[in-house]
Amino acid sequence: MKLIKVLSASAALLALSVMVRAQSPLDPAQLLLQPTANWPTYNGDYSGRRFSPLTKINATTVKSLSLAWTHRAEDPDGGRRGARISGSPLVVNGVMYFSINNHIWAIDARTGQDIWRFDWKSKGGSALGNRGVGISGSSVYMETPDCNLVSVDIMTGKEKWHTN
């Protein structure tokens, strides 16, 4: 079992609903901006700095952070060796996307509640880990241990297509 812990600077964020915003795809223009509300790529943006310009959390306010929620991402394949979160979770429009092996989760980034989960039916391959998902437009992409690229609908978690 894997556990994601998220810290919150404000309890007010928990009250916000993400379901309406979760119904929108990633605007490609967001990929060119510094990350603020979204973290749409592995590094946050194309600069590769892995830096957020947000200033609410700083040396003075960090001591007031507390645990807001946890999410248990159980490996539906039985927790085989190597099933771990190895990639950076991506956040788009208040939804956090992450993967382990043959599975993708979309969860409400403010509450930790599941929105959807996608399960790929593997045809073999070594499942030593997964380096995360990619997002563009209305698709979430994942590479599978059995050498497939899978496109999943960002709103529903349903497979759009896959290719070897």
Side-chain angles (χ1 to χ4, degrees), residues 21-33 37-41 44 46 90-93 97 134-141 154-155:
R21 286 187 285 156
Q23 300 305 311
S24 59
L26 173 64
D27 178 356
Q30 288 287 313
L31 297 171
L32 302 175
L33 303 174
N38 291 328
W39 192 267
T41 70
Y46 286 146
L90 303 185
V91 179
V92 175
N93 299 323
Y97 302 90
I135 297 176
S136 181
S138 62
S139 294
V140 179
Y141 299 94
I154 199 168
M155 295 181 284

Side-chain angles (χ1 to χ4, degrees), residues 111-125:
T111 67
Q113 297 298 307
D114 283 324
I115 295 173
W116 55 257
R117 185 180 87 200
F118 171 76
D119 299 315
W120 172 256
K121 302 299 179 204
S122 180
K123 294 154 192 75

Side-chain angles (χ1 to χ4, degrees), residues 11 41 55 58 66 71 76 84 98 101-102 108 118 123-124 129 131 143 148 151 155 159 162:
T41 70
T55 58
N58 56 46
S66 63
H71 184 276
R84 64 178 189 257
F98 64 93
N101 295 337
N102 295 304
D108 184 325
F118 171 76
K123 294 154 192 75
R131 293 296 180 198
E143 183 182 8
N148 284 275
S151 173
M155 295 181 284
E159 182 180 330
H162 71 272

Side-chain angles (χ1 to χ4, degrees), residues 5-16:
K5 294 183 178 182
V6 175
L7 300 175
S8 173
S10 170
L13 290 178
L14 293 176
L16 297 174

Side-chain angles (χ1 to χ4, degrees), residues 64-98:
S64 66
L65 294 176
S66 63
L67 181 64
W69 55 262
T70 62
H71 184 276
R72 192 166 302 278
E74 296 185 28
D75 185 355
D77 295 332
R80 293 186 303 227
R81 175 185 146 95
R84 64 178 189 257
I85 299 172
S86 301
S88 293
L90 303 185
V91 179
V92 175
N93 299 323
V95 179
M96 180 181 289
Y97 302 90
F98 64 93

Side-chain angles (χ1 to χ4, degrees), residues 125-154:
S126 177
L128 295 176
N130 179 287
R131 293 296 180 198
V133 297
I135 297 176
S136 181
S138 62
S139 294
V140 179
Y141 299 94
M142 176 180 70
E143 183 182 8
T144 67
D146 58 355
C147 299
N148 284 275
L149 179 64
V150 181
S151 173
V152 175
D153 186 274
I154 199 168

